[in-house]
Amino acid sequence: MQYGTFDDAAREYVITRPDTPRSWSNYLGSTEYGAIITNNAGGYSFYKSAAQGRFLRVRFNNVPVDQPGRTIYLRDAESGDFWSAAWQPVGKPLDEYKSECRHGTAYTVITSEYSGIRSETTYFVPLGHAMEVWRVKLTNTGKTPRRLGAFTYVEYANNWSSVNDLVNLQYSQFIATMGVEDGIIDHGTNVHIPADPDNFENADQGRHSFLALVGAPIAGYDTDRTAFLGPYGTYAKPHILETGRCTNSLAAGDNVCGVLQAEVTLAPGETKEFVVLMGVGRAGAEGKAAAKEFGNPARVEEELAKLKAYWHGRLEGLTATTPDPAFNSMLAMWGPFNCLITYAWSRAASLIYAGERDGLGYRDTVQDMLGVMHAIPSEALKRLELMLTGQLSTGGCMPVVKQFAHRPGHESVPPDTELRSDDGMWLFLTVPAYIKESGDFAFLKKVLPYADKGEASVLGHLRRAIEFNLERCGAHGLPCGLSADWNDCIRLGAKGETVMVAFQLRFALKTYAEICALIGEAGEKAWADAALARFDPLLEASAWDGEWYLRGFGDDGIKYGSAEQKEGRIFLNTQTWAVLSGHATGARAGQAMASVEKHLATDHGVMLCTPPFVETSMKVMRAVLFVPGMKENGSIFTHTQGWAVIAETMLGHGSKAYRYYRASMPAAWNDRAETREIEPYVYCQFTNAPMSPRAGASRVPWLSGSAAWAYVAGTQYVLGIRADWQGLVVDPCIPAAWKGFSATRRFRGKTVKIDVQNPNGVEKGVKSLTLNGEVLPGNVIPADKLKDENAVVVVMG
Ligand code: GLC
């Protein structure tokens, strides 16, 4: 079943049926002012932090999940009939009510048609403003004049700390003070104590937000939730919509809302427009200024155009057209947009991440940067530096770096048992990714503090990350798992060993040696080479199970991910990372990946492990917490799909790699959206495996490591366009049936147009590469040969 279509030219997804299986959301704003909006105008808004700066309420796990939100009720003054400018919350029958939602680049447009009235509401956050704009256009499509009431409804959080607002009611229900100044609502909380706007840990501070409506006469307001909804009213049937007139309630304490009632008269065929402005600050100051600035429709249009140009620019680091329209839709907008949003909000703000996860999880954040490096290398650099200062002088990393409270050099060192064995290993992807993108080798010499004490160059930070794991190895000489490796549900502790991190450590040593060779650090290179020479035989001696690689060893010697076991006999990650790390090559690599296909591949992608855990003790294998086939207990964990794709491309298997890629590609499920249930334009944390009663249903959309890895796998390994130390590599690995593709890549300030031809239907291999008419050897385009605009022709064969 299909609920919408991709409009690649406009960079929008167009939802034509509002009754989607779940709320399908989009992100507005920036890290200054963020907002989540769904196809039915649900969602919430927050200032800087979804946890500590949330001023628009959402009750997580509510029914429906996205309400309340940003509602505009419309009411016919003659008949008293009322509806909402998005299908929900009133929910008129769909044979009478038509609606369309266009989710675009940080804006959403929702149109409705009902009883001869067309509404079009555009929601966005103007660049650089801590405020959102809802532009509402109403058209009378009928033959008689109409008199309408338009009512906004937003429900405020009392305390901007999301947890206090929802849980600590004996406190938070008695702190709101509502006011109205020049028709602008002032939502005040804790108003008699000072503001402390940059201290996000401080829930007790005076705060204000405003709500204004410009462009139509205001007939009244309500700020008391009960006055508006009625004690037994609902969002679908508020008391005031039945009476038709606001009561001008000024609430103090209890629950507070923002209702502004406007009167709109429309002659047949006439369109009128008004603007709702909601933002951070006082009604009398920021509110009045906003109303003055945005009272003018041309100003709104100008800001919307600026916003689109800004986001389209961020998406144009790479554009490509392939023979697969679904892949094209992901490439045009949703793949990179998903990466940029995940980079911006980490795991802090969605309809699932309720705001309790503030701060930047180490491993997730360092990986998220991989998906945006080509697009915004200098922004990513700042984040990378922050994360390097989240590394401890022991080489381990703080599990979470709190961007507002982090104090490099002053953080306390958590015990080893609370650290993750993989956190520092991700730096060996992201630091090279930044240098390859920018050519900024000097970054390696930049001195940055450790989180607790001391400082080192970036190269020194990398060495310390390696030493952390080398210094914590177990009985087989492999790194200890500590509180978790990549898998949060594998707790191997201070003695048990992780084969996954062993492969990551191998990758780190190889990468470190490569970097040191490039910058002439011969002594360091020799150190890494020697460690690698000792390490590979240890891996070979202990990690191979016969047909695949083990997942780890418990401190009691239990082999996890072995054919000896009844549950969790084979895991995906150690097969893919064996290949990614360069440890498994040739027939061995082929055998490991063949075992993946045989035991783990499904129509939706490759399962994390199988069979799922039911009887295994949860001392180490905490996946047993979850329903079999969900999450770490054997689901199709989307994050890991990219590694399977990359591993297959490294083996030259273009058709198989693309089959895996497409299996978890959201757009490929657009015409079967009822199976996946979530947005067909974004990645998610996992898809239920076939043994789950919810097979195919996908969960935790938007914020997940899968966005970055899917993007990296698709663009850098399937299309094969990736930055390298000295230039841009073009090394496609595509389905044999593809006759070619074209792409445009921004690289070190230059534009490179690439035309790939595959006349003989091969899956991998570059026969010739021509740059601006000059035939070059190999498949690397040297950066120093690039002009401002370049034409590259690659012939595969
Ligand atoms: C979640 C976590 C991520 C972890 C993964 C596997 O996606 O955010 O850090 O690696 O689960 O447990």
Side-chain angles (χ1 to χ4, degrees):
M1 201 180 295
Q2 195 165 329
Y3 295 82
T5 53
F6 289 89
D7 182 342
D8 293 345
R11 294 198 164 105
E12 291 173 342
Y13 185 81
V14 190
I15 300 166
T16 45
R17 281 185 61 161
D19 57 339
T20 47
R22 305 200 132 208
S23 292
W24 287 359
S25 51
N26 195 17
Y27 282 75
L28 313 177
S30 66
T31 47
E32 192 64 16
Y33 181 104
I36 287 162
I37 184 161
T38 67
N39 54 318
N40 282 306
Y44 60 98
S45 304
F46 44 98
Y47 179 57
K48 292 190 177 174
S49 158
Q52 305 296 340
R54 181 138 66 77
F55 62 91
L56 209 59
R57 176 178 288 163
V58 70
R59 265 175 237 90
F60 284 101
N61 217 0
N62 199 16
V63 182
V65 74
D66 62 336
Q67 287 182 22
R70 299 173 183 81
T71 302
I72 292 162
Y73 293 97
L74 298 172
R75 183 178 188 278
D76 186 297
E78 316 299 332
S79 68
D81 187 22
F82 64 88
W83 61 101
S84 41
W87 179 52
Q88 294 292 325
V90 177
K92 287 287 184 188
L94 285 174
D95 53 352
E96 295 167 34
Y97 185 100
K98 298 287 162 241
S99 103
E100 183 189 89
C101 167
R102 288 183 168 260
H103 281 323
T105 44
Y107 66 89
T108 286
V109 185
I110 299 176
T111 52
S112 75
E113 280 187 43
Y114 175 76
S115 84
I117 298 294
R118 180 174 195 279
S119 72
E120 179 191 291
T121 314
T122 305
Y123 295 91
F124 73 101
V125 175
L127 291 173
H129 288 69
M131 158 190 109
E132 61 192 83
V133 174
W134 318 351
R135 180 185 63 192
V136 185
K137 289 186 185 172
L138 296 175
T139 305
N140 179 354
T141 59
K143 294 197 168 51
T144 51
R146 300 287 291 271
R147 219 155 47 80
L148 299 176
F151 300 72
T152 66
Y153 181 78
V154 295
E155 188 165 321
Y156 295 115
N158 284 326
N159 193 259
W160 291 35
S161 149
S162 55
V163 174
N164 271 353
D165 180 54
L166 293 181
V167 180
N168 192 0
L169 303 192
Q170 62 77 33
Y171 162 71
S172 62
Q173 300 250 316
F174 311 108
I175 61 174
T177 310
M178 301 300 290
V180 176
E181 206 173 322
D182 287 352
I184 303 174
I185 292 181
D186 189 278
H187 154 234
T189 57
N190 299 119
V191 294
H192 302 119
I193 58 171
D196 187 10
D198 296 323
N199 184 355
F200 282 84
E201 308 277 292
N202 181 5
D204 300 331
Q205 54 169 305
R207 302 242 207 188
H208 291 265
S209 82
F210 65 83
L211 183 79
L213 191 155
V214 269
I218 294 185
Y221 58 84
D222 268 304
T223 65
D224 183 294
R225 189 179 75 179
T226 308
F228 180 73
L229 292 177
Y232 298 98
T234 63
Y235 300 126
K237 215 172 166 203
H239 169 65
I240 293 296
L241 267 296
E242 295 186 306
T243 67
R245 180 140 300 278
C246 281
T247 62
N248 295 354
S249 57
L250 274 181
D254 291 348
N255 286 301
V256 295
C257 63
V259 178
L260 289 167
Q261 176 181 357
E263 298 292 334
V264 184
T265 52
L266 291 170
E270 192 183 12
T271 298
K272 279 190 182 158
E273 155 173 354
F274 63 84
V275 176
V276 178
L277 305 164
M278 176 170 64
V280 176
R282 291 169 189 265
E286 288 81 0
K288 271 194 199 170
K292 193 161 164 232
E293 185 180 355
F294 287 93
N296 155 9
R299 186 76 188 87
V300 173
E301 198 52 52
E302 181 194 347
E303 283 297 329
L304 183 60
K306 264 209 279 190
L307 179 84
K308 286 187 192 175
Y310 167 79
W311 275 101
H312 290 189
R314 285 164 87 81
L315 299 178
E316 277 157 8
L318 174 73
T319 54
T321 308
T322 74
D324 182 352
F327 192 23
N328 294 344
S329 298
M330 296 309 298
L331 288 163
M333 151 97 189
W334 294 99
F337 191 62
N338 198 170
C339 290
L340 285 159
I341 294 297
T342 306
Y343 164 79
W345 292 115
S346 189
R347 307 297 177 272
S350 71
L351 294 177
I352 300 289
Y353 287 112
E356 49 78 40
R357 271 210 188 186
D358 218 7
L360 301 170
Y362 204 92
R363 77 162 80 91
D364 288 351
T365 303
V366 176
Q367 291 171 83
D368 289 345
M369 278 181 260
L370 296 170
V372 301
M373 199 58 89
H374 71 290
I376 49 165
S378 32
E379 274 179 56
L381 171 64
K382 293 200 195 95
R383 178 73 65 82
L384 181 54
E385 290 186 358
L386 173 72
M387 297 314 287
L388 282 159
T389 70
Q391 186 188 24
L392 299 156
S393 57
T394 57
C397 302
M398 310 268 303
V400 174
V401 178
K402 296 206 158 196
Q403 64 266 57
F404 303 116
H406 182 56
R407 291 173 64 230
H410 301 279
E411 299 289 346
S412 48
V413 183
D416 263 16
T417 44
E418 285 174 23
L419 298 184
R420 280 80 154 149
S421 48
D422 63 318
D423 278 347
M425 296 290 98
W426 302 105
L427 295 169
F428 293 86
L429 289 151
T430 309
V431 170
Y434 166 69
I435 296 170
K436 288 174 178 179
E437 191 61 44
S438 60
D440 178 13
F441 281 89
F443 179 57
L444 291 163
K445 299 256 152 54
K446 178 150 192 179
V447 174
L448 293 169
Y450 286 112
D452 53 335
K453 58 169 195 237
E455 59 180 27
S457 66
V458 170
L459 191 71
H461 278 262
L462 292 178
R463 190 193 224 261
R464 226 36 216 123
I466 292 177
E467 287 166 347
F468 178 81
N469 283 329
L470 285 179
E471 287 164 9
R472 289 163 183 76
C473 285
H476 302 84
L478 306 182
C480 295
L482 309 180
S483 87
D485 58 21
W486 169 87
N487 189 322
D488 279 329
C489 295
I490 300 186
R491 188 172 291 172
L492 289 158
K495 294 215 177 89
E497 296 159 279
T498 156
V499 175
M500 163 134 193
V501 174
F503 286 132
Q504 290 191 291
L505 181 58
R506 191 208 185 266
F507 180 82
L509 285 165
K510 179 174 75 105
T511 306
Y512 190 78
E514 196 178 321
I515 293 172
C516 292
L518 283 165
I519 59 171
E521 291 279 356
E524 286 298 289
K525 176 179 174 347
W527 170 79
D529 283 341
L532 192 56
R534 285 192 301 274
F535 198 60
D536 263 332
L538 293 177
L539 270 168
E540 183 52 34
S542 56
W544 182 246
D545 191 55
E547 288 178 53
W548 56 77
Y549 287 97
L550 297 171
R551 185 62 177 78
F553 295 96
D555 56 8
D556 46 10
I558 289 185
K559 288 185 193 170
Y560 291 96
S562 163
E564 282 173 16
Q565 302 295 337
K566 224 172 101 200
E567 298 178 347
R569 301 172 78 224
I570 173 169
F571 278 76
L572 172 63
N573 289 354
T574 37
Q575 319 319 316
T576 54
W577 272 89
V579 181
L580 265 57
S581 69
H583 174 78
T585 54
R588 170 61 73 75
Q591 193 176 0
M593 291 308 294
S595 295
V596 166
E597 186 173 20
K598 181 167 167 202
H599 300 285
L600 299 172
T602 78
D603 289 349
H604 287 266
V606 190
M607 294 184 292
L608 190 63
C609 60
T610 203
F613 299 96
V614 178
E615 290 169 3
T616 302
S617 145
M618 75 172 253
K619 194 174 140 262
V620 169
M621 203 45 75
R622 298 177 63 78
V624 73
L625 290 167
F626 293 113
V627 177
M630 297 190 189
K631 291 214 23 126
E632 281 89 341
N633 201 5
S635 79
I636 297 145
F637 212 93
T638 322
H639 189 140
T640 64
Q641 305 302 302
W643 300 332
V645 172
I646 295 171
E648 289 296 355
T649 64
M650 287 173 72
L651 302 183
H653 302 156
S655 297
K656 198 203 279 186
Y658 198 68
R659 174 153 53 82
Y660 285 174
Y661 192 70
R662 216 173 184 281
S664 64
M665 181 162 67
W669 291 89
N670 192 41
D671 55 356
R672 294 162 293 167
E674 77 284 4
T675 312
R676 228 174 141 258
E677 296 183 356
I678 59 162
E679 297 87 335
Y681 45 90
V682 288
Y683 280 91
C684 60
Q685 189 191 74
F686 75 94
T687 297
N688 281 259
M691 76 282 286
S692 156
R694 296 186 190 274
S698 301
R699 294 292 181 258
V700 197
W702 276 103
L703 305 182
S704 132
S706 55
W709 277 110
Y711 194 68
V712 168
T715 57
Q716 299 186 20
Y717 291 88
V718 175
L719 303 184
I721 301 170
R722 56 180 180 266
D724 206 346
W725 304 112
Q726 311 300 354
L728 193 65
V729 170
V730 186
D731 187 18
C733 185
I734 57 177
W738 283 16
K739 292 281 166 249
F741 64 88
S742 61
T744 302
R745 173 71 150 83
R746 233 170 25 212
F747 180 61
R748 300 193 191 174
K750 312 281 168 56
T751 302
V752 189
K753 287 193 156 51
I754 302 166
D755 177 28
V756 173
Q757 300 163 5
N758 186 22
N760 301 323
V762 300
E763 297 192 2
K764 193 168 182 168
V766 167
K767 196 161 77 182
S768 71
L769 185 151
T770 321
L771 168 68
N772 301 325
E774 182 192 347
V775 178
L776 298 181
N779 59 4
V780 185
I781 307 162
D784 56 14
K785 276 190 165 280
L786 289 174
K787 302 187 211 159
D788 286 347
E789 303 281 328
N790 302 273
V792 171
V793 178
V794 171
V795 180
M796 296 176 68

